[in-house]
């Protein structure tokens, strides 16, 4: 600005020397704008604009004269000389209207950045025209000015939604352009529009925003007005933090206007609210401002109150040394000025500081001082809260008699003055005193009263806490029904309030209490709540278990709808965490729930799903039985022996039996409802279980039934699967001709439907049949075909399997070179895909090849490799399990 001022002064001197009047006037306007931008040089700015206006008037330059009038008006407006400003704006408006230069008016508004010059004479039509011109020429401030004026017009016409929209547009444009004063004005107008529509939340935010902007631009009077409105709105809607912010802003506005008493009072009020809402850093800031002002102006009582508030703030932040120091300041002032209530409050503050540091003797002494003063001046609330804290001091020192006496006195006072919360918390602590002394009857009475009061005033956490302890009392007195009811209700409250750890504890106790009394339905409800608490803590295994137990109880008690809902929850969670065992149980339970509700389609689907999972688990345990034990040895010329490792055969048998039961249920239901497709699948699953249990007759019958139904309904997949299973059954019974026929038929169907993986599997079965009949040529062709299919579909495991079995064929024909080649290829693939068992088998078979050729050294080396790979597998399984 200084450089621009110097340049313009030089230009003015040159224009004066040349007698160039337009240049002189233009330079004077420029100087006027520079001085107007500096709040302490308004008089110089006004002088320059006046001289420019006179020159423009003398030379007949209407447009220049209008611009000078606008500049002069903006100076008066900035000085709050609104009458003079209005007159100048009106003159400028008349000139622009006379010469028809509306664009110039919009440009002038943008250049000056002062929107108020269009405030006095424009109609809605004028503003819309100004908006259109501003939009056309790209003058964003002109657009904002027009929208701001439109908002004011709509507000005066009670068109509040239209005013709201206009002010929003104006605010956004001003914010984008960095014009904070215009933004503040638009925010204030927007707040007015909100207020008239009873949108008090939005109004409070806009008033506060306007106050902040006005403060930034040193417009303290309008900032004060904005914050007052904000405070009023926040009080109306009970927005404590918003109210505190408004009070602090109001303090700032008062302070800048040197209204010290009002400023300090506003800061103190803000600090008080922030303290109540545990916003300690903000409370400290507000109280500090209040204290500084009160100290500066020598207002002792105000300083004492601010010091007390600061002391409370520090005490709540565990800054006890600072808190104690401030309480001393407050107490000394209160004592000196004779404010007895203030003195009592200070003593109470001292007691709080000492109590929180477990300095019981000092705390007791201070509380006694405070209590005596409160009692003397008749401050019942102060006396009650001090007695309560004295009771706390005695309780923590196990002085039960003294604590009881204080609590009883506090309770009576709270009851007399109608302070329900104080009465409830005192009764609760009385109950604690009695419970620790094993006075269960007295404790029960206090807890019941406290619970009822908490429930009446809507203090959920107080009610839940009291219910838990009441449950403890009933449990110790073996009143398990009452205990379960209290625990369950407490758990319900904690669950609603997202206190899941507390809910878990309450529901656990409730379930245990109901289990003691045999109230199964209540126990199931508690288990459901426990499941919910677990689920919200992501303890999914525990949640699914609780749901399933609850579902089982409901099922056994004919509550099928409830059982269905719980089993659904259990299946969802088990699926998420991949807990197959519990998932299978949950699906079976869900099937039962559906069946009892005659939802047969859903029941059969659930049973079938349970059967699939159980069958898969049985397969998993069966495959563990087939693994090679690493504990074997080999000596040249000796036999290579290995044994099967111990595993839980019982688990495999259990899952196969469970799968059989599930599939039978699904089959029976689908036979009943006539759903042939699902019936065929259930029969196929049942046959698979029988096959794994070596129940060949039952498996054959089930496969045949599944095959016949699938042929009738045209389900090629089930038909082929049944044929493959039949082939396997016949193969095991040495019925090679029947096995060959079934495998071939299955292979043809799989080839027709394009299922390469299953076609290769059928070829493996066919190859095994030929191999066992010593028809090695046909076996070789089958395995080669299976290998080619596996290569085509990218099934590396299938390719290795085919190569391994080709090696076996070659070995039987004593074609050791070809056998060695096939086994090596299989070994490499198994190694690449990380199949340790397959790799170990390949190494072992290579050892066999060399052993048959009496190459015992090489054979021993390969056997050792087989052992090493198998140990690797065992290690990996151990690591994975851990």
């Amino acid at each position: 600005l200084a450089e621009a001022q110097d340049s313009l002064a030089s230009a003015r001197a040159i224009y004066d020397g040349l007698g160039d009047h337009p240049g002189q006037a233009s330079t004077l306007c420029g100087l006027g704008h520079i001085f107007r931008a500096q709040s302490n040089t308004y008089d110089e700015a006004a002088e320059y604009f006046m001289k420019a206006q006179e020159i423009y008037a003398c030379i007949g330059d209407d447009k220049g004269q209008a611009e000078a009038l606008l500049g002069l008006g903006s100076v008066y407006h900035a000085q709050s000389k609104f009458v003079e400003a209005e007159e100048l704006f009106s003159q400028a408006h008349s000139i622009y209207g006379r010469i028809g230069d509306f664009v110039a008016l919009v440009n002038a508004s943008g250049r000056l950045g002062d929107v108020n010059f269009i405030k006095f004479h424009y109609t809605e039509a004028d503003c819309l025209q100004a908006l259109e011109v501003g939009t056309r020429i790209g003058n964003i401030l002109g657009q904002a000015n027009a929208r701001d004026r439109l908002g004011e017009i709509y507000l005066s016409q009670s068109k509040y939604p239209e005013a709201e929209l206009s002010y929003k547009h104006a605010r956004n444009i001003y914010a984008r352009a960095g014009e904070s004063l215009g933004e503040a004005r638009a925010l204030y107008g927007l707040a007015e529009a909100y207020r008239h529509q009873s949108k008090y939340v939005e109004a409070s935010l806009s008033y506060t925003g306007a106050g902040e902007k006005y403060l930034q631009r040193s417009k303290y009077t309008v900032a004060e007005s904005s914050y007052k409105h904000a405070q009023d709105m926040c009080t109306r809607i009970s927005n404590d933090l918003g109210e505190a912010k408004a009070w602090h802003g109001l303090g700032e506005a008062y302070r800048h206007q040197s209204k010290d008493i009002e400023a300090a009072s506003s800061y103190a009020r803000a600090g008080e609210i922030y303290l109540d809402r545990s916003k300690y850093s903000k409370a400290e800031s507000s109280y500090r401002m209040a204290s500084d002002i009160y100290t500066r102006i020598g207002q002792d009582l105000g300083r004492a109150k601010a010091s007390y508030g600061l002391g409370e703030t520090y005490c709540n932040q565990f800054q006890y040394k600072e808190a104690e120091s401030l309480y001393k300041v407050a107490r000394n002032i209160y004592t000196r000025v004779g404010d007895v209530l203030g003195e009592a409050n200070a003593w109470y503050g001292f007691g709080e500081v000492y109590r929180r540091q477990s300095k019981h003797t000092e705390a007791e002494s201070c509380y006694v001082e405070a209590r005596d003063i409160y009692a003397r001046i008749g401050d019942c609330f102060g006396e009650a809260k001090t007695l309560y804290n004295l009771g706390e001091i005695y309780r923590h020192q196990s002085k039960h008699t003294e604590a009881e006496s204080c609590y009883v006195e506090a309770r009576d006072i709270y009851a007399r003055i109608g302070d329900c919360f104080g009465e409830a918390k005192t009764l609760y602590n009385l109950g604690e005193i009695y419970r620790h002394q094993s006075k269960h009857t007295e404790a029960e009475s206090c807890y019941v009263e406290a619970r009822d009061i908490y429930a009446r005033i809507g203090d959920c956490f107080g009610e839940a806490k009291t219910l838990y302890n009441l449950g403890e009392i009933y449990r110790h007195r073996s009143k398990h029904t009452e205990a379960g009811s209290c625990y369950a209700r407490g758990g319900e409250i904690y669950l609603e309030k997202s206190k899941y750890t507390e809910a878990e504890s309450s529901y656990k106790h409730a379930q245990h209490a109901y289990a003691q009394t045999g109230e199964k339905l209540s126990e199931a409800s508690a288990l459901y709540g426990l499941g919910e608490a677990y689920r919200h803590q992501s303890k999914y295994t525990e949640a699914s278990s609780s749901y399933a137990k609850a579902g089982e109880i409901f099922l056994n008690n004919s509550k099928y709808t409830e059982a269905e809902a719980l089993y659904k929850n259990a299946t969802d969670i088990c699926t998420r965490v991949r807990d197959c065992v519990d998932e299978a149980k949950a699906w079976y339970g869900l099937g039962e729930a559906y069946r009892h509700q005659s939802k047969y389609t859903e029941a059969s689907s659930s049973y079938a799903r349970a059967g699939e999972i159980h069958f898969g688990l049985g397969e998993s345990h069966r495959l563990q039985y087939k693994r090679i034990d690493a504990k074997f040895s080999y000596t040249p010329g000796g036999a290579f022996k290995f044994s099967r490792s111990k595993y839980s055969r019982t688990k495999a048998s259990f899952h196969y039996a469970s799968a059989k039961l599930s599939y039978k249920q699904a089959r029976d239901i689908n036979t009943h409802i006539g759903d042939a497709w699902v019936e065929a699948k259930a029969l196929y699953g049942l046959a698979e279980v029988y096959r794994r249990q070596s129940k060949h007759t039952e498996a054959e019958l089930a496969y045949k039934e599944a095959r016949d139904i699938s042929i009738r309904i045209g389900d090629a997949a089930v038909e082929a699967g049944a044929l493959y299973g039949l082939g396997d059954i016949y193969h095991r019974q040495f019925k090679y001709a029947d096995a060959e026929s079934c495998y071939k038929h299955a292979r043809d169907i799989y080839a027709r439907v394009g299922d390469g993986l299953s076609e290769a599997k059928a070829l493996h079965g066919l190859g095994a049949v030929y191999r066992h009949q010593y028809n090695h040529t046909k076996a070789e062709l089958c395995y080669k075909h299976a290998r080619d299919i596996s290569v085509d579909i990218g099934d590396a495991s299938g390719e290795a399997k085919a190569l391994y079995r080709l090696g076996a064929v070659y070995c039987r024909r004593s074609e050791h070179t070809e056998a060695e080649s096939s086994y090596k290829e299989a070994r490499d693939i198994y190694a690449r895909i990380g199949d340790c068992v397959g790799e170990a088998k390949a190494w072992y078979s290579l050892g066999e090849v060399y052993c048959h050729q009496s190459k015992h050294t090489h054979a021993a080396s390969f056997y050792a490799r087989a052992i090493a790979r198998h140990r690797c597998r065992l290690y990996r399984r151990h690591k994975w399990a851990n």
Side-chain angles (χ1 to χ4, degrees), residues 315 348 453 484:
C315 186
Y348 179 85
I453 295 171

Side-chain angles (χ1 to χ4, degrees), residues 342-632:
E343 185 181 355
N345 288 337
W347 280 114
Y348 179 85
F350 279 125
E352 286 289 277
V353 167
Y354 294 132
R355 181 175 67 84
R356 295 187 184 199
Q357 297 178 84
S358 299
K359 296 180 178 180
H360 300 307
T361 305
E362 295 88 336
E364 179 185 350
S365 174
C366 293
Y367 281 136
V368 167
E369 288 279 354
R371 180 200 61 191
D372 292 345
I373 296 173
Y374 285 133
R376 189 170 71 247
I377 64 176
D379 186 335
C380 296
F381 176 76
E383 184 181 0
K385 74 176 182 180
T386 309
L387 282 164
Y388 175 86
N389 279 6
L390 267 172
E392 288 285 272
I393 291 291
Y394 292 134
R395 183 164 69 90
H396 285 294
Q397 296 178 83
S398 299
K399 296 180 179 180
H400 299 305
T401 305
E402 294 87 340
E404 180 184 349
S405 175
C406 289
Y407 284 138
V408 168
E409 281 190 73
R411 178 201 62 190
D412 293 344
I413 295 171
Y414 280 131
R416 189 171 69 248
I417 65 176
D419 186 335
C420 296
F421 176 75
E423 184 181 0
K425 73 176 183 179
T426 308
L427 282 164
Y428 175 85
N429 278 7
L430 259 177
E432 289 286 272
I433 289 290
Y434 292 135
R435 183 164 70 90
H436 286 296
Q437 293 177 291
S438 299
K439 297 179 179 179
H440 298 307
T441 305
E442 294 87 340
E444 178 186 347
S445 175
C446 290
Y447 284 137
V448 168
E449 281 192 73
R451 177 201 62 192
D452 293 344
I453 295 171
Y454 280 131
R456 189 171 70 246
I457 64 177
D459 186 338
C460 298
F461 292 122
E463 183 184 0
K465 178 178 69 172
T466 308
L467 282 163
Y468 185 89
N469 280 6
L470 188 56
E472 291 287 276
I473 291 294
Y474 288 134
R475 183 171 65 84
H476 282 295
R477 299 172 73 185
S478 299
K479 295 183 176 181
H480 298 298
T481 300
E482 293 86 344
S485 176
C486 290
Y487 288 133
R489 177 58 189 146
E492 185 181 333
I493 294 170
Y494 282 132
L495 203 58
E496 287 175 358
K497 297 300 179 181
S498 304
K499 296 292 183 180
Y500 302 122
T501 306
E502 294 84 348
E504 176 189 337
S505 177
S506 294
Y507 278 124
K508 275 183 179 177
H509 280 81
Q511 185 263 327
H512 180 73
Y514 287 129
Q516 294 286 316
T517 62
E519 297 175 67
K520 292 298 182 182
L521 292 179
S522 296
E523 183 183 357
S525 297
L527 281 165
Y528 171 74
L530 184 57
E532 289 289 279
Y534 281 137
R535 181 173 64 84
H536 284 291
Q537 296 176 81
S538 302
K539 297 179 178 180
Y540 296 120
T541 303
E542 294 87 342
S544 66
S545 177
S546 296
Y547 287 140
K549 287 177 183 176
E552 185 178 349
I553 293 172
F554 281 130
L555 197 62
N556 293 335
N557 286 271
S558 304
K559 298 291 183 180
Y560 304 123
T561 306
E562 294 86 344
E564 176 189 338
L566 286 161
Y567 278 126
K568 278 182 177 177
N569 285 349
T571 57
D572 290 343
I573 290 176
C574 288
T575 302
R576 182 186 302 176
V577 300
R578 299 180 181 179
D579 185 344
C580 296
V581 176
D582 284 341
E583 185 183 358
K585 292 177 183 177
W587 277 114
Y588 188 87
L590 186 57
E592 290 285 277
Y594 282 136
R595 182 170 63 83
H596 284 290
Q597 297 176 81
S598 301
K599 298 179 178 179
Y600 296 119
T601 303
E602 295 88 341
S604 67
S605 177
S606 298
Y607 285 133
R609 181 65 186 132
E612 290 172 11
I613 297 170
H614 275 305
F615 182 75
L617 288 166
E619 286 289 271
S620 175
H621 288 295
R622 183 182 65 83
L623 290 172
Q624 287 182 47
Y625 176 68
K626 293 180 69 177
R627 71 174 184 260
I628 301 172
D629 196 323
K631 296 178 180 178
F632 59 77

Side-chain angles (χ1 to χ4, degrees), residues 78-393:
Q79 294 176 298
S80 301
K81 298 178 179 179
F82 298 116
V83 177
E84 295 88 340
E86 179 180 358
E87 182 180 349
L88 293 166
F89 290 145
S90 299
Q91 290 178 31
H93 173 260
S94 299
I95 294 171
Y96 280 125
R98 188 175 71 250
I99 64 177
D101 192 348
F102 198 80
V103 174
L105 176 59
V106 178
N107 275 322
S109 69
R111 188 176 68 251
L112 293 170
D114 189 336
V115 298
N116 282 296
F117 71 91
I118 61 170
K119 191 177 275 188
F120 301 100
H121 300 291
Y122 276 79
T123 64
E124 181 180 350
D126 292 331
C127 291
L128 290 172
Q129 186 181 1
L131 179 61
E132 189 275 327
V133 173
T135 303
R136 189 172 67 246
I137 66 175
N139 184 348
I140 61 170
L141 283 177
Q143 297 170 44
N145 294 337
R147 288 194 181 279
D148 184 63
R149 175 61 181 142
L150 268 174
E152 186 177 341
I153 291 170
Y154 288 138
L155 205 57
S156 67
Q157 296 173 349
S158 301
K159 296 179 179 179
Y160 303 123
E162 292 86 344
E164 176 187 338
L165 186 61
S166 293
Y167 280 128
K168 277 182 178 178
H169 282 301
R171 176 203 62 192
N172 294 340
I173 296 171
Y174 283 131
R176 200 164 59 243
E179 177 51 60
S180 56
L181 196 59
E183 186 181 355
R185 191 165 46 251
L187 279 166
Y188 190 92
L190 182 58
E192 289 288 284
Y194 282 138
R195 181 172 63 83
H196 284 292
Q197 298 176 82
S198 301
K199 297 180 178 180
Y200 299 124
V201 174
E202 295 86 345
S204 67
L205 292 172
S206 295
Y207 280 131
T208 302
E212 290 172 353
K213 296 296 177 183
Y214 280 131
L215 272 182
Q216 291 172 10
R217 293 298 298 270
S218 305
K219 301 293 182 181
Y220 304 122
T221 305
V222 280
E224 175 188 337
S225 174
S226 299
Y227 279 125
K228 279 182 177 177
H229 282 299
Q231 181 266 321
D232 180 59
M233 290 294 104
C234 290
T235 302
R236 182 176 299 187
I237 61 176
S238 301
N239 179 2
D240 293 340
L241 291 178
E243 184 183 354
K245 187 176 182 180
W247 277 115
H248 190 92
L250 192 56
E252 290 286 285
Y254 283 137
R255 181 170 64 85
H256 285 290
Q257 297 176 78
S258 300
K259 298 179 179 180
D260 292 326
I261 296 296
E262 294 89 340
S265 177
S266 298
Y267 285 132
R269 180 64 184 134
E272 183 182 336
I273 298 172
Y274 279 135
L275 183 61
D276 285 342
R277 293 301 300 272
S278 303
K279 301 295 180 181
Y280 300 124
S281 61
K282 291 182 178 180
E284 180 182 345
S285 173
S286 296
Y287 274 131
R288 182 66 67 190
M289 294 295 293
S291 177
D292 291 346
I293 293 173
Y294 282 132
T295 301
R296 191 181 72 247
I297 64 176
Q299 229 282 9
D300 284 344
L301 196 58
R303 183 189 171 200
K305 289 179 179 178
S307 296
Y308 180 81
L310 263 176
E312 280 192 282
T313 304
Y314 284 130
C315 186
N316 282 297
Q317 294 179 91
F318 314 109
Q319 296 175 253
Y320 300 121
K321 186 176 180 181
E322 294 83 348
E324 184 179 353
S325 174
L326 286 160
Y327 283 138
K328 280 181 181 177
V329 171
R331 183 197 60 190
N332 293 339
I333 294 173
Y334 284 133
T335 303
R336 189 173 69 248
V337 300
D339 187 330
V340 183
L341 177 60
E343 185 181 355
N345 288 337
W347 280 114
Y348 179 85
F350 279 125
E352 286 289 277
V353 167
Y354 294 132
R355 181 175 67 84
R356 295 187 184 199
Q357 297 178 84
S358 299
K359 296 180 178 180
H360 300 307
T361 305
E362 295 88 336
E364 179 185 350
S365 174
C366 293
Y367 281 136
V368 167
E369 288 279 354
R371 180 200 61 191
D372 292 345
I373 296 173
Y374 285 133
R376 189 170 71 247
I377 64 176
D379 186 335
C380 296
F381 176 76
E383 184 181 0
K385 74 176 182 180
T386 309
L387 282 164
Y388 175 86
N389 279 6
L390 267 172
E392 288 285 272
I393 291 291

